[in-house]
Every structure is written in C-alpha cells, then in structure tokens.
Amino acid sequence: MDALEAALDMIWPRRLARYSGWAMIAPAILLVGILVLGLVQIAEGSLHTLDRSTFLPSEEYTLANYQTIIDSTTYWRVLWRSLLGAGLTVFFTLLLALPYSYIMVRTSSATIRKSLLVVLFLPFFIGQVVRAYGILIVLGTSGAVNDVLGLFGVEPLRLLFNFPAVVFGLVQYMLPFSVLLLAPALTAIPRETETAASSLGANWLQSFWHVVIPMAKPGLVGAGLVVGTLSLTDFAMPAMLGGGSQDFIANAIYDQFFRTADQGLGAALALLLVALGSVIAGVVIAIFGAGTLGMGGRK
Amino acid sequence: MKQGAPAETSREKSEIKRPVAVRARDLTMDFGDGAPAVDRASFDLETGRFLTILGPSGSGKTTLLRMIAGFQKPTSGEITVNGHAVDATPPHRRSVGMVFQRLALFPHMTAAENVAFPLKMRRYDPRSVPGRVRDFLDLVKLGDYGERRINELSGGQQQRVAIARALVFEPELLLLDEPLAALDRKLREEMQLEFRRIQHELGVTTINVTHDQREALVVSDDIIVMDGGRIQQHARPVELYRMPENTFVAGFLGVSTFVAGTAFPGGLKSGDLHLSGTHAGEIAEGTPVRGAIRAEQIRIVAAPDSLATCDTAFPSRILDVIFEGERLLYVAESDRLPGVAFQVYHHDTEAFDLYEIGAQVTIGWNARDMKIFKSTA
C-alpha cells in the first residue's frame, strides 16, 4: 500500500492535489475542444462559395452561402420538415414511452420488468440502418403489413417513402432512449404519493394526470430534449424510409459535402443545424431549468 | 368547537355508549411467506374515538391499517365503516383521510393546492373550495402559509399540511400511518398534542399506528397492542398500563422486570423465594409462570425495616445507577434470584442520589403490583 502511494506521489505529487479535479475532466475538455476546432473550421468553410469553373472554394470571404439558403424554398422546406418531424417524433415517443416506463418501474412482477427491459435493449444491439432496413421489409408493398391488409381485401398500400414512414422510423428508433431517460424520473416518485392521491379521491387516471405527469416533468423534458435533438439531426431514417423525397437537414448537408461537393454551402447548413439545435435546447433549459436534465440546477 | 369546556375530553365521555364506526371481523392478511401478517384481527371502534394500534415493527400494525384504508385486500375477514361493508370499495371511493409515514405531499403544488386536491377530485362546488381550504389551513394554524411550496415549509408545517389535506373533505375516518416517526422528540410531542386537539375539535374517528408507546398513551382513547400479527390486548390506556393481559403487553409498555418461576397461591415461587403477586386469570399451582413488576412499583430502601408494609421484600445489591434526568434508574440483583436484574425507578424530592454501585439495599413491592402470567413458551 505504501509502495503504491509512493509511486502515486511520483506521478502526481501531493501539492498538485487541488488540480486533481481539472486533471480528471481534461480528457473530456480535450474531446470537446476537438469538436470546437472542427466547428471553427466548418464556420470558416461556410464563408467561401464554390467556384464552379475550378471546383475550388473562393478566396474572398462572403455570406453568399447563407444568402443562398435563405433564398431557397427547398431548404426552407427541408428545415420545416426537420422541425416538424422532430416535434412529432418527440410527441409520439413520449406518448409511448411514458406508459412503457411507468409499467416497467411500477410492476410488482420481476418477470414483466425483465421482459420489458430486454425488449427495450434488444434494438440497441441492432444498428439504426439494419432497423430501417427491417422497416423497409415489413412496410414494403409486398411486406408483412400489406399481406395482412390483403387478407381483408385491401389493395397494397404505399406505406414507405413518405413523411409518416420517416416519423414512424424515428419513433421506433427513439423509444428506448426516452424510456431509459424516463425510468429514473418515475422511480423518483414515491409510490406512497400515488397511494395518497387515491386515498384523497383520485382515480388512477386523475392520479396519473395530476400527480405522476407533473412530478415526472424533469424526466419528460429531458427525454423530449434528447429525442428532439437526435431526431432533428437524424440522417438514416429520412434517407432510407423517405427514399430521397423526405430529406432532413442532415441529408441536405450530406448531399452538399459528398454529392455536389459544395463544401461551403454544406458547412453553412451544418452551422445552421448546430445553431437551431442549440437555440431549442437553450430555450427548453431556460424555461424548465437545468434541473430538468437531472443536473440539479434548480433548488 | 367545544369552547370553554376543555375538561370534557373524550376520555371522560367514553363512558357513554356510542355507535360503532369501524368494525373489523377476523381480518387476516396472508402474503404467503410464512406466518400471516395479520391474523384474525377483530375489533370495534366507536364513533369519534382515537384508537392507536401499537406494536413493534413487523407486528402487522401497518398492514391492518392499509386494509382499513383499502390499499390492501384482506385474505379473509370483513370491515364495515358506519355499518357499510367496504371490502369491495376502491380507496378513492372511500371516505378515508390518511396521513402517510413520509407524508406524501405533492411537491409540485403549494400548500393550499395540496389541501384543495381532494376537494377537486371529489368534485366539490368550485366556489366553496377556497373558503374550505382556508378554514382547514386555519385549523392547523397555517393560515398564512397557503401560497408556500411544500419544500419551503418546515417539517412540522409539512405535517400540518398533510393533516389538513386528509381532513378537508370531512372523511368518516382519519388514518395516521406513523406520520410522526421521523420527527425529533420535541416536535413529535408537540404534534401529538396537535393531533389530539384537532381530533377533538372535529370529532373525527381516528386510527393511529405507532411503535412509540408514549405516543400511544398520550394521544389515544383506546389502544390495540399487536405482536406477531395478532391483537394482544385492546383496552383504554390506563387499563392497558395497569392491567396488561400477557407478558408481551407488560413488557412493551413501560419498563418491567420479569421473574420466571412456578405459580403458587398469592404469587410465584422462584427457587426457595416466594414472591407476592397477582395472577392474571386462573393459574393452577405449579404452572410455569412469569411475573412482571414495573420499575416504578418497586421500592428501594437502605434499611429493611422501612419496607415492612410491602408484601415482598428482600436484600439486593446495586449493580448500576443510570441517570435519566427526572429520575434515577437503579439496576439491582439479589443473591437469592441470580440472573434477574431488577430495574427500579427512583425519585426522591429530598435526596436524589442515594445509593452507589455495590451498595446493599432492600427492594420490595406489593402483591397487586406484580402481575403473574402463564409462561408462553
């Protein structure tokens, strides 16, 4: 033990003890720093337009890329689609995740709890792309859903490559995240509080509405924020389930970087996405307090 | 409500026969993990009385309360409240106000909103709600605190909000599930008297659960002592203290010394020593018994002569002296009763600290003060 302490003393002398905290978060700061460096570079890139004759970025600084985005109806549509898609995803995900995590937390049967957890984690082992592919198969014109509908004499429906399909895919993708974020918030509500509500005359629905949901608000806001920002920036679901017709911002960025090679415009779009996400997160935290993410920002 | 007549407590009124509010018959709760949590509990509680269910943890007292509240369905037996069987009624349809162990206040609401909650749920006329909330906040002396959030209130104030919330819809029955257990002693004693005051003012039939014997004696009209899921004794506080029916009750309330022996007329025999005592019920001579004598019933003197009036007296030696503030607790042993440490309370207004460890003394008591029970095991 003494030898161990002596060795430690050589690597990290005792007088440096008050900097220990900084040393611990140094790796994290380094990682964020790299991210910021990249952002600065992207910001710089967004200020050059693409010279179509040489396919090189222009020398002079200009805001032309941002002007292009503002003037373009396509990008406005992509922006609104992303926001609407993210919003709807948040709504439906929370709607489904709340009862799911509630049952998971409150059930007295260990078997039910374990099954719910397994079902929840299973999709984590399957990548997003594979899952989207699975949805393609199930919802395809000759997929399982259309087969079942066929039994009732319904003509095959076009269930894919439209906006609802993208939202469906996103909800399916986000559900485990939001359940995992909601479960601790619901666990923190003492069972006795609900018992009290029922003794005071609330049926289970009233108790859920007046007691459980308000008390789970931090978890709901946190889950909503995570699901919202992840959906807003999602790439795979719109790409695969939207079939090119339902692009989100990330898809537009991808196209600029890797298809048209207009890195300046792509960079401008990317910065816009970062700004949008930051503003939304900032507003949500300003309204509900940092405590909503379990950081105890509020007393 | 009954101003100017503070002497008229329900302890005195208890002589009048009143209608039964709660009737429990053979209530059993068996969780299927060994002995039943509550085993055939039966009792009657008259309207307007304050009943305390007293017992150590694991005695089944909370389970019994939860069955009365409707949170737990009894395995068998039945409960009637004001003559109606309530077994099939879900908790939110019952007229039962409950104060919970951890209070279970709603932290996202103000004190007034907490109190208004049951009125909203029970569809009271919205115009009547604010006035009613104010009345009940006044009742618990929180008139000026309605707009405070729960976390802005002290522990005692939170208790009061919980009481107001449980009473504001004027339930037929008030249940208290050890709400005072977490408070420090001074606040706990203050709240005990508050419970009693409010209960008198409203006259609401109340069932309180606690493991604190002092609280039970202070606040109750009736006490049920439970152990191992069974009701050990159901009596008024004074009766319970003076006339315990078995060794458990004798040991749970107050400080008692137990002496094992065999019964003989007028007391028990331990070795060659005859100790005077009173048999609890019919006990045949020679039956193994245990005698219980309370610490305050044993007299302790230096000279044997001054205990001439005691039915039993014998020499002992002081083993320990414990200072408890308002009195001393002597631990004494007699050579003639090896292994029995007598606990003796001593309070003398003239000379406080009379004996030191090792001092030779005489201890004694009267026959009526030692209760003799059949040995259970």
Side-chain angles (χ1 to χ4, degrees):
Chain A
M1 215 57 211
D2 286 343
L4 200 74
E5 275 184 18
L8 190 72
D9 222 36
M10 277 167 62
I11 304 164
W12 192 256
R14 206 163 286 264
R15 63 196 155 77
L16 290 179
R18 59 202 187 102
Y19 302 110
S20 296
W22 289 106
M24 302 256 186
I25 61 164
I29 290 180
L30 202 69
L31 274 174
V32 175
I34 291 171
L35 201 71
V36 171
L37 216 66
L39 265 180
V40 170
Q41 216 154 30
I42 287 180
E44 203 268 343
S46 74
L47 297 175
H48 302 284
T49 50
L50 182 73
D51 188 335
R52 296 273 167 197
S53 53
T54 59
F55 266 92
L56 284 172
S58 60
E59 287 291 319
E60 74 280 15
Y61 289 96
T62 165
L63 287 173
N65 285 326
Y66 294 96
Q67 193 61 49
T68 314
I69 295 171
I70 289 167
D71 291 342
S72 148
T73 46
T74 317
Y75 287 133
W76 278 108
R77 205 178 312 125
V78 167
L79 191 70
W80 281 122
R81 189 187 292 129
S82 310
L83 281 172
L84 185 65
L88 287 174
T89 306
V90 169
F91 177 76
F92 287 114
T93 308
L94 292 185
L95 201 67
L96 296 172
L98 190 61
Y100 192 103
S101 31
Y102 183 79
I103 292 168
M104 199 172 77
V105 165
R106 281 288 190 256
T107 181
S108 53
S109 147
T111 322
I112 293 179
R113 194 187 339 270
K114 276 178 200 150
S115 328
L116 288 175
L117 265 173
V118 168
V119 170
L120 191 68
F121 273 105
L122 215 55
F124 271 129
F125 303 128
I126 310 163
Q128 197 189 358
V129 174
V130 177
R131 256 197 282 172
Y133 192 68
I135 294 173
L136 281 179
I137 294 170
V138 173
L139 293 185
T141 335
S142 51
V145 173
N146 270 321
D147 282 353
V148 172
L149 286 176
L151 295 178
F152 299 97
V154 180
E155 289 294 302
L157 294 171
R158 190 172 170 277
L159 299 170
L160 285 168
F161 310 128
N162 51 28
F163 187 65
V166 175
V167 173
F168 175 81
L170 280 172
V171 169
Q172 211 261 356
Y173 176 48
M174 297 297 169
L175 196 61
F177 293 107
S178 54
V179 170
L180 286 183
L181 284 161
L182 272 178
L186 290 173
T187 313
I189 303 173
R191 207 178 279 249
E192 210 178 45
T193 317
E194 284 171 71
T195 315
S198 86
S199 88
L200 295 169
N203 59 36
W204 75 266
L205 198 69
Q206 289 170 314
S207 156
F208 203 76
W209 183 254
H210 292 288
V211 176
V212 175
I213 291 183
M215 285 180 77
K217 204 174 74 180
L220 284 168
V221 173
L225 198 59
V226 169
V227 170
T229 43
L230 282 178
S231 307
L232 187 67
T233 57
D234 196 61
F235 174 78
M237 289 298 169
M240 295 183 71
L241 301 179
S245 67
Q246 303 296 331
D247 280 359
F248 276 27
I249 306 177
N251 308 91
I253 296 169
Y254 179 88
D255 285 348
Q256 290 312 320
F257 273 108
F258 299 105
R259 293 226 174 114
T260 40
D262 189 343
Q263 303 217 350
L265 192 59
L269 280 168
L271 273 191
L272 220 83
L273 183 56
V274 170
L276 195 65
S278 310
V279 167
I280 291 172
V283 167
V284 168
I285 289 175
I287 293 174
F288 296 103
T292 51
L293 297 175
M295 290 185 282
R298 208 169 34 169
K299 193 176 77 112
Chain B
M1 254 175 250
K2 295 185 184 66
Q3 299 235 308
E8 194 195 32
T9 68
S10 55
R11 271 177 210 227
E12 285 159 56
K13 283 187 294 187
S14 63
E15 306 307 329
I16 311 157
K17 197 73 185 163
R18 294 199 248 171
V20 170
V22 182
R23 169 165 289 162
R25 283 293 170 269
D26 291 323
L27 270 182
T28 299
M29 185 71 223
D30 194 343
F31 292 110
D33 50 359
V38 174
D39 192 3
R40 286 162 290 160
S42 299
F43 67 88
D44 283 349
L45 174 61
E46 290 164 23
T47 306
R49 309 256 293 180
F50 195 123
L51 169 75
T52 293
I53 304 173
L54 176 67
S57 54
S59 60
K61 57 187 194 300
T62 297
T63 309
L64 180 55
L65 191 78
R66 292 178 69 83
M67 287 194 283
I68 296 165
F71 300 137
Q72 233 144 33
K73 213 174 152 45
T75 315
S76 63
E78 64 163 22
I79 308 164
T80 58
V81 175
N82 291 335
H84 306 289
V86 293
D87 305 277
T89 319
H92 70 272
R93 296 266 171 72
R94 297 189 185 196
S95 180
V96 172
M98 184 147 167
V99 182
F100 290 82
Q101 201 160 25
R102 271 157 293 175
L103 301 184
L105 293 169
F106 304 129
H108 57 288
M109 299 181 192
T110 63
E113 284 166 350
N114 265 280
V115 178
F117 184 83
L119 302 178
K120 252 168 67 184
M121 293 304 117
R122 289 168 192 266
R123 296 178 198 283
Y124 275 61
D125 179 357
R127 285 165 300 178
S128 75
V129 169
R132 197 169 252 279
V133 168
R134 212 174 313 117
D135 288 348
F136 277 81
L137 281 174
D138 284 341
L139 175 76
V140 297
K141 298 176 182 161
L142 280 182
D144 299 329
Y145 294 87
E147 296 317 308
R148 297 273 187 99
R149 284 197 161 264
I150 296 307
N151 60 8
E152 294 166 347
L153 296 172
S154 72
Q157 290 166 338
Q158 292 184 8
Q159 289 276 344
R160 291 164 187 273
V161 175
I163 300 166
R165 188 182 68 170
L167 286 172
V168 69
F169 57 100
E170 292 177 71
E172 293 175 286
L173 195 57
L174 175 66
L175 304 181
L176 310 172
D177 181 14
E178 292 201 69
L180 302 179
L183 299 182
D184 63 71
R185 188 176 153 189
K186 213 167 155 51
L187 189 56
R188 191 165 66 232
E189 286 174 1
E190 184 193 320
M191 290 310 297
Q192 284 167 5
L193 297 177
E194 272 299 280
F195 274 128
R196 191 143 181 86
R197 173 185 71 82
I198 292 163
Q199 197 262 343
H200 278 172
E201 217 163 295
L202 299 178
V204 58
T205 312
T206 303
I207 302 179
N208 174 41
V209 158
T210 188
H211 61 264
D212 180 346
Q213 50 137 322
R214 205 194 116 80
E215 176 184 322
L217 294 173
V218 168
V219 299
S220 323
D221 298 316
D222 288 291
I223 298 176
I224 285 179
V225 178
M226 282 192 82
D227 185 49
R230 300 225 177 132
I231 293 183
Q232 301 292 329
Q233 190 170 353
H234 178 181
R236 298 197 304 153
V238 177
E239 231 173 276
L240 196 73
Y241 194 82
R242 295 258 172 86
M243 286 175 278
E245 280 174 6
N246 56 39
T247 48
F248 178 80
V249 177
F252 196 69
L253 275 95
V255 173
S256 295
T257 304
F258 288 91
V259 185
T262 51
F264 90 95
L268 67 84
K269 209 162 72 172
S270 180
D272 62 341
L273 196 63
H274 286 71
L275 303 174
S276 309
T278 310
H279 291 188
E282 287 288 313
I283 302 175
E285 191 172 343
T287 315
V289 291
R290 293 179 80 197
I293 177 83
R294 291 199 188 283
E296 69 270 24
Q297 310 284 21
I298 303 179
R299 297 179 60 193
I300 186 163
V301 292
D305 307 346
S306 43
L307 283 187
T309 56
C310 282
D311 298 324
T312 285
F314 50 87
S316 314
R317 190 168 28 87
I318 302 285
L319 288 183
D320 204 357
V321 183
I322 296 152
F323 177 57
E324 291 190 350
E326 70 271 31
R327 66 189 168 205
L328 285 169
L329 174 65
Y330 289 115
V331 182
E333 194 185 34
S334 169
D335 291 337
R336 300 176 68 187
L337 275 172
V340 180
F342 284 94
Q343 306 196 65
V344 185
Y345 279 144
H346 185 79
H347 170 76
D348 190 326
T349 47
E350 301 294 319
F352 199 73
D353 199 354
L354 281 175
Y355 311 107
E356 288 177 359
I357 293 174
Q360 291 296 327
V361 293
T362 298
I363 61 172
W365 61 80
N366 285 316
R368 64 175 145 84
D369 293 327
M370 177 175 248
K371 302 290 181 303
I372 294 169
F373 309 100
K374 280 184 198 164
S375 291
T376 37

